[in-house]
Amino acid sequence: MLKHLLIEDINKYLNGQMKPTELLKADDHLAVCDECFQQIADLGVARKAAEFDFLRSSPEESEHLSYEQLKDYVNENPDDIEREMTDVHLQVCLDCRRDLDGLFEMRKLIEADLESETLPPPVIEISNSTQIWNFLFGKYPWRRGFAALGILLSVSLIGLYWFFNRQKPNEIVLTTSPANINQPQNNQNPNNILPTNIEPNNQAQQNTNAETNLPGNSPGPSRTESIPPRYEEEMKRVLADGNLNIPAEIKQLNQATGKLMSGGTADIPFALSSPIGKFIQTNRPRFRWRELSGATGYIVQIFDTNYNQVATSPELSANHWQIDKPLAPNKMYLWQVTAIKDGKEIKSPVRPAPDAKFKVLDSVKARELEQAKRQSGNSPLLLGILYAKAGLLEEAAREFQREINKNPKSEIARKLLRQVRSKR
Amino acid sequence: MITTNQSDLALLSFLNSATEGEMENALEMLMVKEIKPVIEKTLRFKMHVSLTPTDFSQTNQDALELFGEINVLIVSELRKLKSNNEKTIQNLSSYVSSVTTNVYRQYLRKKYPLRRQLKNKLQYLLTHHPKFALWEDKKGWLCGLKQAVSPSQPLDIETVKTKIRSLVHQNNLQDSGQTVELVRTCFEVAESSIFLNDLISIVAAIQGIEDPKEIGGFEENLNVIKSLIDSDNGLVHKIEQQEELNKVWSGICEMPVRHRLALLLNLKSRDGDGVITLFPVLRIATIRQIAAALEFSPEEFADIWAELPWEDIKIAEYMKLTRQQVINLRQSARIRLIREAK
């Protein structure tokens, strides 16, 4: 049976004069007894609700995160308290979330830019027409005589070449810049299906460049090189309809990767950097993640899609690790990093965060791509198409960008680059 | 009597004034000698304006209106200060500067949301890309390629725009994914430094970033500022309603425990009275529920109930943090609740 509070009890309760056990009993009673609750209400205490003025904003305090706070968050500099305060604010402030997304996007652009700078520098090309012009009308007039002789010889050679080769099967010829692709000579109207940067073979042959424009250190191809037939079909199709053949699995892989790469939430205490949400060529990837402030060590665990552990690292002091044994090709993997801080283990990511997934490329495709690189190194466009087909979107984007750098008017390269970016 | 330990010396004659007349005179003197010069200086610096009434440029007229609003706001705050001994202003000049900066930022945030975001992004780019630099000289903030940091004359915006025009479409620089390249190209064609504001304008123009004019009306902006900073904005009245109070409690429970501790263990009204009692009294939360929210046992919490509100230094000791961290956490919690309650 309820024992109601006396007025003395209520006064003691309100003035904090009850002993702890009495206080809890009175509190339990007030929570269920409307009569006693009403008695307090009648005392006018409820009017003191106006004293919740701690919720008044002050004109000198900002209601938003400063640039410094946002920047520190993106750079993962803040201490735990700062990070927590930023998280709490971001949960209710769309403006600041947009600002933060903008900075994350900028960080990504800077990283991509710096990565691209590590690629071999693009060869500065002087177009053949410019070279010829300089040669003919440059400093030394005597060159004109040589030039006339050269032109005569060239015409003769081209004539002979055409005569001996006119019965050969049709082939597409790769060139350096722009991606000049020779059309079959019996194609009645090539311009109907090909973009403007694709030129007939006889011009393309003059435009071939040296080997220095290859990606990586692959041995150079000959000055012109035919596309192997298995790539030719894909190349033709993409150039004709402008649509890349990107594996549907990409969508499954890169779900919510931005969240994983941003980190800083309860389920992703520190961001993971790579590999996330993509196909990878190597079967011994290097795992990278953002440092957790104060962490003394890290352990990386790799799982298959049934959450069986397939590999684990030793305790690491750096925020990267290359797996020592090869992963099986054509398989999807998940990975998680455990940071050790103050003797505690902090895992990232944990549910409900999305898994950090990647897939090792099928070994046949990997070999094919290597071959394609060797054989078609002069055509970033072709390589981009093949990379995209294999699901290697970063590599594809890099090649399309190279093509655009070499040939800024290439509409097809821009279109393909946009497609790749939209899937990343 | 308010002593020098509490408030800025400049405020003493105002705070100690005995009659209405004395107070008004003291306030007038304060405004003329101490407050208005700081507001003017801050606005001139921030907005690059003359603040002369005959300058009819839009920015100057906006600045003049902001100037008036800030004056009114500070007078209102000083009147509250006079009637409330709890709050103090230890450095008047710095307080006025903070209020002015804050109001100006709110104005910018509302009037130019996209440009402000772009500015943040470019500031990040210029300070994080190893080849770019951002530096300040007496003319303002300048940027350029790192190797070009020198006192050379910054190139004017129109020249850069003209020089870059032909390269934009050729290299797809209007794509936001090409921002790094666009900035690099700007610096390369300029062959000199550029004012940060000019760079922002160039990038905004090329990428088609334009703040919508229809939501940028000055009156509307001022109203927003007023509602943000006016203590009589109805929020306090609104929370007298039970439903609103329940929302406040839910908001508190959604925050991390450190935020809850910093807020609830020092829950005071502006007069300095502890107001945590209001939660059980208004049936928003029982003492047991508050204890659970703070990760105390009910008995432990009942034991300290009579001591509340704790001073910051005591909370700091309990939480093993610094006093400033506790203050920051509480401010963060308050701002979150204010935003949620609006």
Side-chain angles (χ1 to χ4, degrees):
Chain A
M1 185 171 169
L2 288 172
K3 189 184 168 191
H4 291 298
L5 297 176
L6 302 172
I7 191 71
E8 295 81 18
D9 296 330
I10 289 173
N11 281 331
K12 277 169 75 178
Y13 175 83
L14 291 175
N15 295 321
Q17 292 165 342
M18 281 184 163
K19 288 179 183 165
T21 47
E22 282 178 336
L23 180 70
L24 289 174
K25 272 186 194 167
D27 192 53
D28 293 342
H29 179 77
L30 274 173
V32 294
C33 178
D34 290 340
E35 213 174 306
C36 291
F37 176 70
Q38 190 55 46
Q39 243 186 312
I40 290 183
D42 291 344
L43 287 173
V45 177
R47 279 204 301 276
K48 285 184 74 182
E51 290 174 7
F52 268 75
D53 57 4
F54 66 90
L55 288 182
R56 278 186 177 141
S57 43
S58 298
E60 75 273 27
E61 79 188 2
S62 170
E63 276 192 29
H64 292 279
L65 299 172
S66 66
Y67 169 77
E68 292 299 317
Q69 285 174 298
L70 292 168
K71 179 200 74 180
D72 284 348
Y73 192 87
V74 172
N75 292 346
E76 291 160 27
N77 286 337
D79 60 26
D80 279 359
I81 303 285
E82 281 291 330
R83 179 169 283 278
E84 183 178 304
M85 289 192 293
T86 308
D87 284 335
V88 161
H89 184 82
L90 289 172
Q91 284 164 8
V92 293
C93 184
L94 187 62
D95 268 8
C96 289
R97 276 213 301 273
R98 283 194 191 122
D99 284 353
L100 190 73
D101 288 345
L103 296 195
F104 271 120
E105 182 196 327
M106 193 48 76
R107 188 181 85 176
K108 214 170 163 184
L109 289 179
I110 293 170
E111 284 170 357
D113 188 64
L114 296 177
E115 267 176 32
S116 72
E117 282 183 6
T118 61
L119 291 171
V123 174
I124 299 167
E125 294 172 52
I126 301 171
S127 71
N128 285 358
S129 60
T130 314
Q131 286 174 331
I132 290 167
W133 191 260
N134 289 342
F135 183 83
L136 290 177
F137 299 100
K139 215 170 156 182
Y140 307 105
W142 53 265
R143 283 178 173 176
R144 288 177 204 169
F146 283 106
L149 191 59
I151 289 167
L152 195 63
L153 273 171
S154 300
V155 169
S156 309
L157 285 170
I158 290 167
L160 281 170
Y161 180 83
W162 174 81
F163 179 80
F164 287 114
N165 290 280
R166 68 189 191 278
Q167 298 300 325
K168 274 193 172 180
N170 299 328
E171 63 182 18
I172 293 177
V173 176
L174 286 177
T175 63
T176 53
S177 175
N180 300 314
I181 295 165
N182 197 13
Q183 279 298 290
Q185 291 173 2
N186 59 357
N187 188 333
Q188 291 184 341
N189 190 0
N191 291 330
N192 284 348
I193 56 162
L194 294 173
T196 51
N197 62 331
I198 297 170
E199 296 168 5
N201 189 23
N202 54 355
Q203 292 174 26
Q205 277 187 322
Q206 296 171 17
N207 287 339
T208 50
N209 203 348
E211 299 90 5
T212 46
N213 212 20
L214 279 170
N217 299 317
S218 315
S222 59
R223 287 174 68 85
T224 59
E225 205 164 9
S226 60
I227 296 181
R230 62 181 175 281
Y231 307 143
E232 187 179 324
E233 279 309 307
E234 179 67 7
M235 182 87 170
K236 273 187 193 171
R237 189 196 60 71
V238 174
L239 294 178
D241 68 16
N243 289 320
L244 289 166
N245 185 5
I246 296 172
E249 243 178 328
I250 278 290
K251 201 174 172 185
Q252 188 194 347
L253 274 173
N254 71 8
Q255 215 173 14
T257 50
K259 198 176 166 191
L260 287 166
M261 292 165 92
S262 305
T265 56
D267 48 356
I268 312 165
F270 51 98
L272 306 184
S273 305
S274 179
I276 289 182
K278 61 181 183 182
F279 283 84
I280 56 168
Q281 271 181 294
T282 173
N283 53 10
R284 285 186 54 230
R286 182 177 289 277
F287 296 86
R288 295 177 190 277
W289 57 95
R290 294 278 162 181
E291 282 178 9
L292 176 69
S293 175
T296 51
Y298 301 94
I299 296 169
V300 184
Q301 288 169 290
I302 300 149
F303 305 91
D304 64 19
T305 47
N306 295 320
Y307 299 97
N308 300 312
Q309 184 175 298
V310 292
T312 184
S313 74
E315 188 171 330
L316 311 157
S317 54
N319 59 336
H320 56 87
W321 173 65
Q322 184 170 25
I323 186 170
D324 45 7
K325 63 175 185 181
L327 294 168
N330 201 26
K331 282 201 164 178
M332 194 184 289
Y333 295 94
L334 323 172
W335 61 290
Q336 186 182 48
V337 181
T338 304
I340 296 143
K341 183 179 174 183
D342 301 330
K344 288 182 188 165
E345 292 189 345
I346 301 166
K347 289 180 188 292
S348 189
V350 288
R351 292 292 164 87
D355 293 321
K357 288 179 266 190
F358 66 92
K359 185 169 179 178
V360 179
L361 200 63
D362 168 43
S363 51
V364 177
K365 276 188 193 159
R367 268 200 304 278
E368 269 184 12
L369 279 171
E370 277 309 309
Q371 198 180 358
K373 258 168 81 175
R374 282 197 300 274
Q375 294 184 345
S376 318
N378 275 341
S379 173
L381 195 64
L382 172 64
L383 275 178
I385 290 169
L386 297 178
Y387 279 136
K389 191 182 178 194
L392 299 168
L393 300 191
E394 281 177 15
E395 290 82 348
R398 193 182 64 216
E399 293 304 324
F400 293 139
Q401 187 61 58
R402 280 182 64 216
E403 179 64 38
I404 292 166
N405 292 345
K406 288 167 59 181
N407 179 15
K409 288 182 183 166
S410 172
E411 283 306 316
I412 186 75
R414 287 183 200 287
K415 185 176 178 185
L416 299 180
L417 180 61
R418 279 197 295 274
Q419 271 184 60
V420 167
R421 282 185 176 156
S422 71
K423 302 280 182 188
R424 284 164 78 190
Chain B
M1 169 79 72
I2 290 171
T3 65
T4 53
N5 291 338
Q6 294 163 319
S7 281
D8 191 309
L9 280 172
L11 285 166
L12 286 186
S13 61
F14 166 72
L15 294 174
N16 291 329
S17 56
T19 65
E20 186 74 14
E22 276 177 28
M23 185 186 82
E24 289 305 326
N25 283 341
L27 190 58
E28 178 68 28
M29 288 292 282
L30 260 184
M31 293 306 291
V32 172
K33 284 192 172 173
E34 307 287 340
I35 294 169
K36 285 185 179 176
V38 178
I39 303 175
E40 282 174 349
K41 188 179 162 195
T42 311
L43 285 180
R44 279 200 188 105
F45 178 74
K46 298 269 178 204
M47 299 178 79
H48 305 285
V49 287
S50 61
L51 284 177
T52 50
T54 49
D55 176 353
F56 293 104
S57 72
Q58 186 60 52
T59 317
N60 190 59
Q61 292 300 312
D62 283 2
L64 284 169
E65 292 203 42
L66 274 184
F67 178 75
E69 286 297 322
I70 295 165
N71 274 314
V72 172
L73 175 68
I74 289 178
V75 168
S76 150
E77 288 295 307
L78 290 178
R79 288 187 197 280
K80 279 184 210 156
L81 185 71
K82 167 92 172 128
S83 61
N84 177 359
N85 291 338
E86 177 67 17
K87 193 176 171 184
T88 59
I89 295 174
Q90 289 176 344
N91 184 331
L92 181 65
S93 169
S94 136
Y95 172 80
V96 174
S97 173
S98 299
V99 172
T100 308
T101 304
N102 198 27
V103 171
Y104 169 66
R105 281 188 183 147
Q106 301 286 3
Y107 155 79
L108 275 189
R109 184 173 280 277
K110 291 292 163 192
K111 187 158 185 181
Y112 304 109
L114 300 180
R115 188 179 165 94
R116 191 188 47 77
Q117 276 174 14
L118 179 63
K119 185 186 176 187
N120 278 350
K121 285 165 72 171
L122 291 179
Q123 192 176 342
Y124 187 87
L125 171 62
L126 295 167
T127 51
H128 288 76
H129 195 292
K131 295 204 170 154
F132 300 150
L134 176 68
W135 68 100
E136 191 181 17
D137 77 359
K138 56 189 173 189
K139 294 174 200 157
W141 284 96
L142 290 162
C143 51
L145 291 170
K146 195 158 260 178
Q147 73 264 22
V149 176
S150 68
S152 63
Q153 185 68 25
L155 206 61
D156 72 276
I157 183 168
E158 290 310 319
T159 313
V160 179
K161 273 185 178 172
T162 309
K163 282 185 164 189
I164 205 170
R165 194 166 291 142
S166 63
L167 296 167
V168 169
H169 288 289
Q170 200 178 20
N171 296 326
N172 200 26
L173 297 177
Q174 69 274 28
D175 181 348
S176 65
Q178 291 284 82
T179 308
V180 181
E181 196 52 43
L182 171 58
V183 169
R184 193 189 339 257
T185 309
C186 283
F187 294 151
E188 282 170 0
V189 300
E191 294 175 327
S192 169
S193 55
I194 306 176
F195 280 115
L196 174 62
N197 273 336
D198 287 349
L199 180 70
I200 297 167
S201 299
I202 293 167
V203 175
I206 289 170
Q207 295 186 345
I209 296 168
E210 193 177 356
D211 284 302
K213 287 189 173 63
E214 60 272 23
I215 63 159
F218 190 83
E219 283 303 316
E220 194 182 339
N221 290 328
L222 278 187
N223 287 338
V224 175
I225 293 165
K226 273 183 182 171
S227 75
L228 285 171
I229 58 186
D230 193 343
S231 57
D232 293 325
N233 59 12
L235 179 60
V236 173
H237 300 301
K238 199 174 155 194
I239 64 167
E240 285 186 52
Q241 296 161 23
Q242 188 72 26
E243 197 184 330
E244 295 301 325
L245 290 167
N246 287 334
K247 276 189 198 165
V248 169
W249 176 250
S250 301
I252 291 172
C253 291
E254 279 170 19
M255 287 189 279
V257 67
R258 287 192 289 212
H259 274 71
R260 286 179 244 154
L261 284 164
L263 181 74
L264 292 176
L265 292 180
N266 178 284
L267 203 65
K268 289 178 183 172
S269 70
R270 278 203 167 186
D271 295 334
D273 297 333
V275 287
I276 197 167
T277 324
L278 291 176
F279 284 108
V281 161
L282 295 169
R283 276 198 178 162
I284 302 163
T286 64
I287 291 175
R288 285 181 196 277
Q289 285 170 327
I290 303 171
L294 297 178
E295 300 186 353
F296 277 82
S297 73
E299 293 73 24
E300 277 174 337
F301 193 60
D303 215 21
I304 66 159
W305 180 256
E307 297 171 16
L308 297 178
W310 275 1
E311 289 307 316
D312 288 333
I313 192 73
K314 186 163 183 177
I315 302 173
E317 273 170 29
Y318 176 77
M319 293 174 71
K320 297 188 174 62
L321 298 176
T322 64
R323 180 172 171 272
Q324 191 56 49
Q325 283 175 318
V326 172
I327 292 168
N328 292 346
L329 281 167
R330 185 166 52 252
Q331 187 192 22
S332 166
R334 281 184 49 252
I335 288 173
R336 152 124 182 198
L337 292 174
I338 288 166
R339 288 195 66 82
E340 276 189 319
K342 274 178 180 167

